């Protein structure tokens, strides 16, 4: 397999220290998070130190021939102290999740806000998509970086403090033991970092295998694909992909395990060396009579404790490095620079009856990663109140033109102007208010019909009713028992939600557009999911929809252009033909040719449906 992890690796923007500070600030903003962490660490350290002293103190008392009562008191005292501390630790561990979940959700909220508010072109940027995937992975559940961070910090602090306490204790025997223990621990730390780095350097390779596996999993559970899998016998093909993923995963896991094994063996050798030096020294001193049996026991237990503390510390440090990478991804995603001015630009007041004239001036645009521009030196003026129809073959650039007009995309060169001013000058959020639209890929949110039409929790029901009526779907909605309160989207409302047909949804989207009552109307294939009769009905209502508005109507059905003042036929990155429907037909060019072709098939289709064949 290609060992590509290193070349592709990107350095995180924020380092470990900065990410720890970031999380601590977040923790401080949520009551209890830092306090609880402090209590957990304190109780953990206290339990460890109490446990360390229990047996040696008892043995010391025996050595001094303490009375039965004294021995009983020592045992009872230690047991009660341990019980109390364990109880405290169990309690704080039981309540620590509440605040930690709040911290994670506050970060997730920022990710969602960025996603909801970011400028449209970012959605086409692969880097932004990657950052989004990483940011979501870091916040999606209770075992992801932004929540496990606290557990890791606890592990590091508890083990670190215990290590220091034990080290100072051992130093009482001979201060030089600090030196040997610290040296060997630092060596172990460097080795662990070296072996941990393998995982970090190969993380892209691992992610690619999981992406592939995930894709296979999505294919297997997709109901949309289920039909194709059966009809086209895709099962074998998909199983081959799965076998390939399993082979890659086995190979990767094997290499990863071998790497870990080497690291573990070196770790064990260093543990033996560190503790062996201390044990040998303690034995020598004890045999020379320099230490009592209880003192020997105390230092012996302390030295033994190093192994678990150092292991805990090193594991914690490895984990926090990985979590820091993920926390950095979240911060990088949320701080991705926006290409538009959302605020701080020129204010744009939307007035009903206001004049809004648009112009594309020498606009060239290509999608990221695509060589050929969709529009090239494109010029178009759209007068206020004009109804423009945009037609063209698939891929001619109609939707892209509308995206540029609506300010979702920015030209690579040239300008889109509103009343003579480059739209980049305006606050983009104000600019969006100009448009009421039905796009091809519309969205229906889990909520009621009225909420979807009004896009709010407090719909004006009279207006909702009027808009549904205008869109020709009021009667259909009133047939549902809940009428306009009928829920949509089974994902959230599996029991109550209704399934609307494609055509009904399109009409609902028309009602939403009408409710917004914006001065510019954009309709991108609004009748694609409608049958011929419903399509005719929409054409007849078109005048009513657009009132005096400036409007742009994209349709693959050339017949729809008759309702518009002007038609442009897009192709080859520009306008191929332009005029009214009648003018274009009279020209006898490409438009007329396409129109004839379409009407012929349309007539044949209707005839066939009427039993003409
Ligand atoms: P139309 O609406 O006329 O069918 P579009 O504007 O949707 O055409 O697309 C124009 C061209 O741009 C097509 O070749 C299409 O494949 C390409 N395209 C559309 N969206 C993207 C995208 N997000 N990334 C890359 N290419 C795209």
């Amino acid at each position: 397999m290609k060992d590509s992890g290193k070349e592709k690796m990107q350095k995180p923007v924020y380092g470990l220290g900065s990410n720890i500070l970031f999380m601590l600030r977040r923790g401080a903003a949520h009551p209890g998070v830092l306090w609880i962490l402090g209590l957990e660490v304190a109780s953990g350290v206290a339990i460890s130190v109490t446990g360390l002293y229990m047996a040696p103190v008892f043995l010391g008392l025996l050595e001094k021939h303490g009375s039965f009562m004294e021995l009983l008191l020592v045992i009872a005292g230690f047991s009660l102290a341990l019980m109390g501390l364990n109880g405290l630790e169990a309690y704080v561990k039981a309540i620590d999740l509440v605040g930690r979940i709040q911290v994670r959700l506050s970060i997730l909220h920022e990710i969602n806000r960025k996603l909801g508010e970011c400028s449209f072109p970012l959605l086409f940027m692969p880097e932004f998509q990657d950052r989004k995937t990483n940011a979501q992975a870091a916040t999606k559940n209770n075992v992801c970086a932004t929540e496990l961070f606290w557990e890791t910090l606890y592990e590091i602090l508890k083990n670190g403090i215990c290590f220091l306490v034990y080290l100072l204790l051992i130093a009482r025997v001979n201060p030089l033991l600090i030196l040997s223990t610290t040296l060997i621990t630092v060596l172990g730390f460097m080795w662990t970092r070296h072996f941990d780095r393998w995982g970090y350097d190969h993380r892209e390779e691992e992610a690619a295998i999981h992406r592939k596996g995930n894709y296979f999993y999505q294919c297997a559970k997709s109901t949309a694909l289920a039909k194709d899998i059966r009809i086209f016998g895709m099962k074998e093909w998909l199983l081959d992909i799965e076998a390939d993923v399993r082979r890659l995963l086995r190979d990767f896991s094997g290499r990863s395990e071998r790497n870990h094994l080497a690291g573990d063996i070196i770790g064990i050798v260093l543990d033996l060396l560190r503790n062996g030096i201390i044990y040998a020294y303690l034995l020598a001193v004890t045999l020379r009579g320099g230490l009592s049996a209880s003192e020997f026991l105390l230092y012996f237990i302390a030295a033994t404790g190093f192994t678990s503390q150092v292991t805990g510390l090193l594991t914690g440090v490895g984990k926090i490095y990985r979590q820091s990478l993920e926390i950095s991804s979240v911060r990088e995603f949320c701080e991705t620079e926006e290409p538009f001015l959302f605020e701080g630009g020129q204010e744009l007041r939307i007035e009903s009856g206001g004049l809004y004239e648009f112009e594309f001036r020498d606009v060239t645009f290509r999608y990221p990663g695509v060589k050929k521009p969709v529009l090239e030196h494109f010029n178009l003026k759209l007068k206020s109140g004009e109804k423009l129809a945009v037609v063209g073959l698939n891929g001619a650039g109609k939707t892209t033109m509308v995206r540029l007009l609506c300010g979702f995309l920015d030209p690579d060169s040239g300008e889109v102007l509103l009343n003579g001013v480059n739209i980049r000058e305006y606050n983009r959020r104000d600019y969006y208010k100009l448009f009421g639209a039905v796009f091809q890929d519309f969205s229906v949110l889990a909520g009621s019909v009225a909420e979807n039409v009004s896009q709010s929790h407090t719909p004006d029901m009279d207006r909702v009713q009027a808009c549904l009526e205008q869109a020709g779907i009021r009667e259909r909605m009133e047939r549902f028992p809940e009428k306009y309160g009928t829920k949509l989207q089974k994902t959230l409302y599996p029991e109550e939600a209704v399934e609307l047909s494609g055509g009904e949804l399109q009409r609902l989207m028309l009602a939403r557009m009408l409710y917004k009552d914006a001065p510019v109307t954009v309709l991108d294939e609004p009748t694609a999911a409608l049958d011929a009769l419903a399509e005719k009905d929409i054409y007849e209502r078109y005048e009513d929809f657009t009132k005096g508005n400036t409007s742009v109507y994209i349709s693959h059905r050339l017949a729809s252009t008759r309702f518009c003042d002007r038609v442009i036929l897009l192709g080859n990155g520009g306008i191929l033909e332009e005029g009214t429907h009648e003018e274009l037909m009279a020209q006898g060019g490409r438009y007329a040719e396409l129109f004839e072709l379409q009407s012929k098939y349309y007539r044949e289709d209707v005839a066939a449906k009427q039993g003409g064949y």
Side-chain angles (χ1 to χ4, degrees):
M1 189 196 295
K2 208 175 142 219
D3 204 352
S4 59
K6 227 166 192 161
E7 311 89 78
K8 281 199 199 162
M9 196 177 67
Q10 282 217 339
K11 264 189 112 46
V13 171
Y14 296 103
L16 178 64
S18 165
N19 290 326
I20 292 179
L21 268 180
F22 169 82
M23 288 301 287
L24 288 179
R25 268 193 226 111
R26 294 269 156 174
H30 289 83
V33 174
L34 297 188
W35 270 112
I36 287 176
L37 177 70
L39 268 180
E40 272 178 2
V41 173
S43 56
V45 171
I47 289 170
S48 173
V49 174
T50 312
L52 169 73
Y53 273 96
M54 189 169 171
V57 169
F58 187 74
L59 190 63
L61 206 56
L62 276 179
E63 282 170 343
K64 288 183 197 154
H65 306 290
S67 68
F68 174 75
M69 208 50 201
E70 280 174 326
L71 288 170
L72 199 68
L73 272 177
V74 165
I75 290 198
F78 271 103
S79 302
L80 279 177
L82 277 176
M83 253 172 63
L85 288 169
N86 276 316
L88 174 68
E89 191 187 50
Y91 174 70
V92 283
K93 277 195 181 292
I95 58 166
D96 66 5
L97 264 190
V98 181
R100 293 176 188 182
I101 291 176
Q102 290 307 315
V103 172
R104 175 172 63 82
L105 291 182
S106 76
I107 299 174
L108 184 63
H109 172 74
E110 268 175 44
I111 295 174
N112 288 338
R113 204 172 59 190
K114 178 75 180 180
L115 262 181
E117 291 182 351
C118 75
S119 33
F120 197 68
L122 289 188
L123 303 177
F124 296 105
M125 275 172 52
E127 309 91 78
F128 187 71
Q129 290 302 331
D130 284 351
R131 274 183 220 158
K132 179 189 84 177
T133 311
N134 293 340
Q136 285 175 333
T139 45
K140 68 179 175 196
N141 54 30
N142 301 117
V143 288
C144 62
T146 49
E147 204 169 311
L148 284 186
F149 167 83
W150 303 107
E151 187 61 35
T152 311
L153 199 57
Y154 160 77
E155 237 175 274
I156 292 174
L157 289 175
K158 191 197 103 175
N159 286 304
I161 294 173
C162 283
F163 181 75
L164 280 180
V165 171
Y166 285 30
L167 199 62
L168 290 175
L169 189 70
I170 297 269
R172 277 171 29 192
V173 186
N174 185 342
L176 278 180
L177 287 177
I178 292 193
L179 200 67
S180 68
T181 309
T182 312
L183 261 178
I184 297 171
T185 306
V186 169
L187 210 63
F189 178 76
M190 281 158 62
W191 272 114
T192 312
R193 292 285 306 131
H194 172 76
F195 286 104
D196 267 359
R197 220 184 150 78
W198 190 93
Y200 175 64
D201 288 349
H202 292 77
R203 70 190 198 282
E204 304 241 347
E205 185 186 339
E206 188 181 11
I209 299 172
H210 286 300
R211 225 178 4 250
K212 211 167 172 184
N214 205 25
Y215 171 70
F216 166 78
Y217 173 69
Q218 296 300 337
C219 286
K221 71 171 198 177
S222 153
T223 40
L225 252 183
K227 296 190 287 306
D228 294 347
I229 291 173
R230 282 155 185 77
I231 290 283
F232 294 104
M234 287 157 69
K235 191 177 101 186
E236 293 306 320
W237 182 35
L238 284 173
L239 287 178
D240 277 352
I241 299 178
E242 195 223 3
D244 193 32
V245 173
R246 270 193 285 134
R247 191 183 51 73
L248 289 175
L249 206 55
R250 208 171 37 239
D251 175 66
F252 185 84
S253 306
R255 286 189 291 140
S256 170
E257 288 305 316
R258 280 194 292 283
N259 170 68
H260 277 124
L261 192 66
D264 288 348
I265 290 173
I266 291 173
I268 291 170
V269 170
L270 288 176
D271 274 352
L272 278 177
L273 190 65
R274 184 186 55 232
N275 291 5
I277 292 174
I278 301 174
Y279 294 153
Y281 187 78
L282 288 178
L283 271 178
V285 176
T286 310
L287 289 176
R288 268 193 274 120
L291 287 177
S292 66
S294 58
E295 283 170 325
F296 172 80
L297 184 65
L298 176 69
Y299 298 128
F300 184 85
I301 300 177
T304 310
F306 279 147
T307 306
S308 71
Q309 286 152 12
V310 170
T311 310
L313 201 58
L314 295 186
T315 319
V317 170
K319 277 193 211 164
I320 213 158
Y321 263 104
R322 283 193 294 276
Q323 288 161 359
S324 164
L325 281 179
E326 296 188 38
I327 293 165
S328 182
S329 303
V330 172
R331 298 173 70 189
E332 287 165 38
F333 171 77
C334 291
E335 288 162 16
T336 307
E337 218 177 300
E338 296 293 342
F340 301 150
L341 286 175
F342 283 115
E343 280 102 20
Q346 210 170 308
E347 208 180 319
L348 179 61
R349 284 185 194 283
I350 315 294
E351 291 151 9
S352 70
L355 291 183
Y356 299 104
E357 196 161 286
F358 297 88
E359 182 180 351
F360 284 72
R361 192 180 288 169
D362 201 28
V363 166
T364 296
F365 176 83
R366 64 168 66 78
Y367 285 100
V370 181
K371 271 207 183 126
K372 197 171 157 8
V374 182
L375 297 178
E376 206 168 3
H377 302 295
F378 179 80
N379 290 294
L380 173 75
K381 275 190 178 167
L382 183 59
K383 290 197 237 43
S384 198
E386 184 179 9
K387 295 190 193 339
L388 178 77
V390 185
V391 297
L393 296 179
N394 283 344
K398 305 182 289 295
T399 297
T400 307
M401 190 206 108
V402 157
R403 284 175 173 168
L404 285 159
L405 177 76
C406 292
F408 295 141
L409 299 174
D410 250 1
D412 295 334
S413 62
E415 298 174 295
V416 178
L417 306 160
L418 166 65
N419 296 338
V421 178
N422 189 327
I423 64 169
R424 287 191 70 89
E425 305 290 324
Y426 294 113
N427 286 333
R428 207 46 75 111
R429 257 187 263 287
D430 291 343
Y431 185 75
Y432 291 148
K433 291 185 189 142
L434 275 174
F435 298 91
V438 178
F439 297 112
Q440 279 182 48
D441 43 357
F442 49 76
S443 56
V444 174
L445 290 182
S448 69
V449 166
E451 283 167 344
N452 265 285
V453 170
S454 65
Q455 295 288 291
S456 89
H457 275 307
T458 49
D460 173 343
M461 293 312 276
D462 290 339
R463 209 159 125 203
V464 168
Q465 186 177 7
C467 294
L468 287 169
E469 172 72 38
Q470 222 180 332
I473 196 171
R474 181 182 64 81
E475 203 194 321
R476 173 79 184 100
M477 294 300 133
E478 287 186 350
R479 268 190 269 140
F480 292 121
E482 298 291 325
K483 298 195 165 55
Y484 311 135
T486 305
K487 293 275 191 263
L488 302 173
Q489 281 288 1
K490 289 228 177 262
T491 330
L492 270 201
Y493 306 106
E495 303 290 331
E496 317 113 272
V498 298
E499 291 275 6
L500 296 182
S501 70
E504 287 165 345
L505 283 174
Q506 236 166 4
R507 283 186 188 267
L508 196 73
M509 293 300 102
L510 278 168
R512 179 174 78 170
M513 180 198 81
L514 293 167
Y515 191 98
K516 184 173 174 188
D517 196 22
V520 185
T521 305
V522 171
L523 294 163
D524 187 354
E525 304 265 16
T527 59
L530 301 183
D531 58 41
L533 281 180
E535 196 176 20
K536 183 168 163 283
D537 178 50
I538 295 288
Y539 294 159
E540 281 164 7
R541 290 168 191 260
Y542 188 57
E543 183 57 40
D544 189 29
F545 286 161
T546 51
K547 289 175 265 171
N549 283 3
T550 309
S551 77
V552 177
Y553 191 107
I554 296 183
S555 179
H556 66 289
R557 290 275 308 124
L558 300 188
S560 61
T561 59
R562 289 191 185 148
F563 306 90
C564 297
D565 305 322
R566 183 162 56 123
V567 184
I568 57 171
L569 173 70
L570 288 191
N572 299 337
I575 297 176
L576 297 178
E577 292 174 21
E578 186 175 2
T580 61
H581 169 73
E582 287 72 24
E583 284 166 359
L584 291 178
M585 289 305 287
Q587 268 179 32
R590 186 91 180 108
Y591 177 88
E593 191 186 326
L594 284 172
F595 187 81
E596 279 307 326
L597 200 69
Q598 216 172 52
S599 338
K600 177 168 169 280
Y601 281 114
Y602 194 66
R603 278 194 303 269
E604 283 171 4
D605 193 30
V606 171
K609 278 182 185 146
Q610 288 170 349
Y613 286 89

